[in-house]
Amino acid sequence: MKNLLLLFLLVISANCFSQNYKITYLKSSNGNLIENQDAVWVFANNNQTLLSTENIRNQKADFPFEETIVDRSSNSFFQKATLKSSEIIATKDSVSLGKQTFEYTNDTKKVLGYNCKKAKTIVNSNTIEFWYTDELKVKGSPTVLGQNLGLVLEMVRNGNFVISATKIEQIKSFPIFQLPQKQVDALTYKDLLWKSRFTTISVFKDQILNFSDESKSNDSILRFANGTIAVRKVQLPEIKVGSQIFVDVTEQSNGDAYDRTGSLFMIPTDKEISFLNGLQNGAKTLPIYTNGNGKEYQGVIITDNYNPVVELMRFFTPFGVKQYNTLQLKDKTWAENVLYRQDVSDLRSLLSGKEVWLGINIGNYDKGGHKVSANITIHTENESIIKPTQIIPLFCTNNIMEMAGQEYGTMFNNDKGLEVSFKLEKPMKNCKLRYITSGHGGWENGDEFVPKKNSIYLNDKETFSFTPWRQDCGSYRLSNPASGNFPNGLSSSDYSRSNWCPGTVTNPIFIDLGDLEAGTHLMQIKIPQGLPEGGSFSSWNVSGVLIGEQ
């Protein structure tokens, strides 16, 4: 109440004894005025300065938005934010203005007919120049920075981004600025404002993925494969074309010390059979793929009545992060967890406005297993040149049901490899294959440690080939406390691998396929899979979805 009374008295005093100005600013980049921008409005008099925008003051601003008022008598400012939820919060800063430092130059020029002097400062390696005038006897700036210089009429950042005053008007009264009851510290204010700028959907929270007969489902989360898989149904909002969609997973060891394959995935349910049927009734109930090598692979390719899972993110756990942080090495401070975060905007049409089954798994045989949390965040873009797409899941050999008997991806041990037939009802333009691949076989001659070329064929023609290989695994040593150390001075987590490292995401690559006509098409994935040795064998987890414009 004391702050509210102070501001009320300031407004009365300002309106009675000083001149009030409204300054309009517009932004330019590289000499070009930014289109469709919300003009910055600054109101200034002897006692205070209000930073706002045209849309805010005309009640047309999108949520969240914020305003700032500077109290000249105390050299402090209040920031007020109206969040997406319509909640209003505020914070006070009594320190920052006094800490600003500037280099003053002898340069002068006129802006809107007023004589201006130049000052500059450096913030986060950005050089910012200010052109300010003392002729109006008021102070203000289009940002919190530079508030005490004078009236800043132009700001230039790094020589290419400019905020310039385009109009100065004398007004009768200073706008009303009312503080809300809820005032928070500066860090909380920034956090709440930042989180209000996007939509967060919590998918899993502190979920244990372990191997135990005691793992049980509940009303919201289904558990399968002795607890190594968790699945739940999630309602997603409509997502504008061009918006950014991210998934994030946070992982800690809850007992398991080894590096494991993990996947955050979506289960398509638009056909007669889905992967959910296999989870509930056993892997053998899924469509079987064979290629003549004598093995049966459950649920790995598209059929007339089945779509395979779509991997949103494939990730790999490190060696024992958190649980084994007590294993000390000199000059090593272990991470508390691993955060995996990935852009999945290309999968928008599978997610937007739909109720979908989302799952997460980490293959392991440990009763403690791993603790994971997963979120989807949606960051809306108002304008986009991106065209809507159609998505067709084609294949996924990642044996997510490993602990429930699903066969490993060992079908690459003959010339046929993985063969997928799919039918397009209509032509698709600008088609791409979203392809994720990682090689496994964790002994000296296994494909985990031996580079192998992946070749993609479309309609009997080789379309693309590359050798997936990660050489940066040593960058993640601090997430791998339980990684074994060898006589040569390397740790197991340092070694290069077939497109993955302990503690990282394996990113998809996008393979251009051009325009595809309506009808049936044949895709093959060929990899020279290594031979088994004793009880050890190699396998490849590959997944792919077709993305194209209708």
Side-chain angles (χ1 to χ4, degrees):
M1 291 299 295
K2 183 178 180 181
N3 289 331
L4 288 173
L5 179 61
L6 173 62
L7 283 174
F8 177 75
L9 292 175
L10 284 173
V11 171
I12 297 298
S13 174
N15 289 336
C16 294
F17 302 109
S18 65
Q19 292 182 325
N20 302 296
Y21 294 95
K22 170 187 165 186
I23 305 95
T24 300
Y25 297 82
L26 291 177
K27 302 171 184 176
S28 301
S29 179
N30 293 313
N32 299 313
L33 196 65
I34 296 174
E35 296 181 357
N36 303 317
Q37 62 178 289
D38 184 12
V40 176
W41 281 3
V42 171
F43 302 88
N45 60 32
N46 290 339
N47 300 307
Q48 56 190 338
T49 303
L50 172 63
L51 282 65
S52 188
T53 73
E54 180 179 4
N55 286 346
I56 292 174
R57 282 286 138 181
N58 289 329
Q59 299 183 344
K60 295 180 180 179
D62 294 330
F63 297 108
F65 59 82
E66 64 176 332
E67 293 183 299
T68 301
I69 192 161
V70 179
D71 175 16
R72 298 283 167 204
S73 63
S74 61
N75 200 32
S76 62
F77 61 89
F78 288 90
Q79 290 178 296
K80 179 178 74 171
T82 303
L83 306 181
K84 191 179 294 185
S85 63
S86 297
E87 181 184 15
I88 303 175
I89 60 173
T91 191
K92 182 179 181 180
D93 188 323
S94 302
V95 177
S96 296
L97 293 181
K99 287 186 174 181
Q100 295 179 12
T101 59
F102 301 91
E103 175 188 343
Y104 298 90
T105 73
N106 294 322
D107 297 334
T108 61
K109 74 173 183 178
K110 285 195 173 185
V111 179
L112 296 180
Y114 295 94
N115 293 309
C116 293
K117 294 178 283 187
K118 181 182 176 183
K120 64 180 181 178
T121 191
I122 295 177
V123 178
N124 298 333
S125 300
N126 295 290
T127 299
I128 304 176
E129 300 171 341
F130 303 82
W131 292 95
Y132 64 96
T133 183
D134 297 321
E135 293 183 353
L136 290 171
K137 309 302 182 185
V138 295
K139 294 182 177 181
S141 172
T143 70
V144 169
L145 198 61
Q147 284 292 330
N148 290 334
L149 288 172
L151 182 59
V152 176
L153 297 183
E154 186 173 283
M155 287 179 61
V156 183
R157 186 186 69 202
N158 298 329
N160 54 27
F161 181 79
V162 181
I163 307 176
S164 294
T166 59
K167 185 191 300 184
I168 300 175
E169 305 168 76
Q170 190 169 346
I171 56 177
K172 291 183 179 180
S173 60
F174 199 88
I176 295 174
F177 181 93
Q178 186 173 2
L179 281 172
Q181 292 293 329
K182 184 173 182 178
Q183 294 190 32
V184 297
D185 63 89
L187 191 60
T188 300
Y189 175 89
K190 291 178 181 178
D191 184 63
L192 291 173
L193 178 60
W194 171 69
K195 289 177 178 176
S196 187
R197 297 188 186 281
F198 54 91
T199 300
T200 300
I201 299 164
S202 177
V203 183
F204 298 103
K205 178 66 175 176
D206 294 332
Q207 184 66 216
I208 301 298
L209 299 176
N210 61 346
F211 187 82
S212 172
D213 292 335
E214 299 174 3
S215 298
K216 303 296 181 184
S217 300
N218 57 38
D219 291 340
S220 61
I221 297 177
L222 305 179
R223 303 285 297 276
F224 300 103
N226 286 82
T228 59
I229 303 171
V231 175
R232 63 171 296 211
K233 188 179 286 187
V234 178
Q235 177 64 56
L236 296 170
E238 293 287 343
I239 306 172
K240 288 185 178 181
V241 176
S243 293
Q244 301 295 300
I245 310 168
F246 280 75
V247 294
D248 64 72
V249 171
T250 304
E251 182 271 341
Q252 291 179 329
S253 169
N254 195 52
D256 189 15
Y258 279 92
D259 51 339
R260 307 289 190 181
T261 303
S263 182
L264 180 66
F265 57 91
M266 192 204 84
I267 302 175
T269 56
D270 54 341
K271 290 186 176 180
E272 180 184 351
I273 303 174
S274 77
F275 191 74
L276 193 61
N277 298 118
L279 291 172
Q280 294 169 333
N281 304 315
K284 292 183 178 180
T285 63
L286 296 174
I288 300 299
Y289 170 75
T290 61
N291 70 348
N293 69 356
K295 290 190 175 183
E296 294 185 341
Y297 302 94
Q298 311 98 336
V300 297
I301 65 168
I302 186 174
T303 68
D304 290 341
N305 63 352
Y306 172 81
N307 278 329
V309 301
V310 176
E311 289 192 286
L312 305 183
M313 173 198 287
R314 186 181 304 166
F315 62 94
F316 293 87
T317 71
F319 288 93
V321 69
K322 178 63 175 179
Q323 183 72 17
Y324 294 88
N325 285 7
T326 54
L327 300 173
Q328 295 183 344
L329 291 178
K330 191 173 179 60
D331 299 326
K332 295 284 190 293
T333 301
W334 306 119
E336 286 295 303
N337 55 44
V338 173
L339 173 66
Y340 313 90
R341 183 164 163 82
Q342 183 177 333
D343 185 350
V344 295
S345 306
D346 46 283
L347 301 177
R348 185 200 68 86
S349 62
L350 284 181
L351 303 171
S352 176
K354 297 178 181 178
E355 188 176 52
V356 297
W357 285 97
L358 297 178
I360 191 167
N361 94 291
I362 295 176
N364 71 96
Y365 288 98
D366 188 271
K367 190 171 183 178
H370 303 258
K371 181 188 289 187
V372 295
S373 297
N375 303 292
I376 296 175
T377 60
I378 301 168
H379 309 259
T380 301
E381 298 286 349
N382 292 324
E383 295 185 11
S384 174
I385 59 172
I386 298 174
K387 295 182 179 180
T389 58
Q390 179 185 0
I391 298 176
I392 301 175
L394 294 181
F395 55 88
C396 180
T397 70
N398 183 5
N399 56 333
I400 289 167
M401 280 195 284
E402 176 186 357
M403 283 69 200
Q406 188 180 16
E407 186 60 70
Y408 292 83
T410 57
M411 66 281 290
F412 302 99
N413 62 352
N414 64 19
D415 189 59
K416 190 173 182 180
L418 180 69
E419 190 173 83
V420 185
S421 177
F422 61 97
K423 184 177 182 180
L424 299 181
E425 298 297 333
K426 296 179 180 179
M428 290 177 65
K429 294 182 178 180
N430 299 320
C431 293
K432 300 180 186 297
L433 177 68
R434 182 183 189 266
Y435 181 68
I436 302 174
T437 181
S438 56
H440 304 273
W443 81 102
E444 181 179 359
N445 296 317
D447 284 2
E448 177 177 330
F449 297 111
V450 179
K452 295 292 180 71
K453 184 169 77 169
N454 286 219
S455 300
I456 291 86
Y457 290 78
L458 181 63
N459 299 326
D460 297 321
K461 180 180 179 181
E462 183 175 333
T463 301
F464 186 80
S465 65
F466 76 115
T467 301
W469 192 245
R470 288 285 294 267
Q471 294 178 289
D472 60 333
C473 295
S475 302
Y476 308 97
R477 182 68 181 92
L478 294 181
S479 296
N480 288 274
S483 177
N485 298 301
F486 297 106
N488 64 0
L490 289 177
S491 174
S492 177
S493 64
D494 293 331
Y495 279 86
S496 299
R497 287 171 168 83
S498 288
N499 212 34
W500 64 277
C501 299
T504 69
V505 168
T506 290
N507 293 316
I509 66 166
F510 293 86
I511 300 168
D512 289 326
L513 302 177
D515 298 339
L516 297 181
E517 297 296 328
T520 300
H521 299 268
L522 181 68
M523 182 175 289
Q524 285 180 288
I525 311 298
K526 295 185 178 183
I527 304 168
Q529 181 180 302
L531 296 175
E533 293 183 12
S536 299
F537 62 91
S538 294
S539 63
W540 281 82
N541 291 340
V542 299
S543 68
V545 297
L546 180 68
I547 304 176
E549 302 167 12
Q550 287 189 349

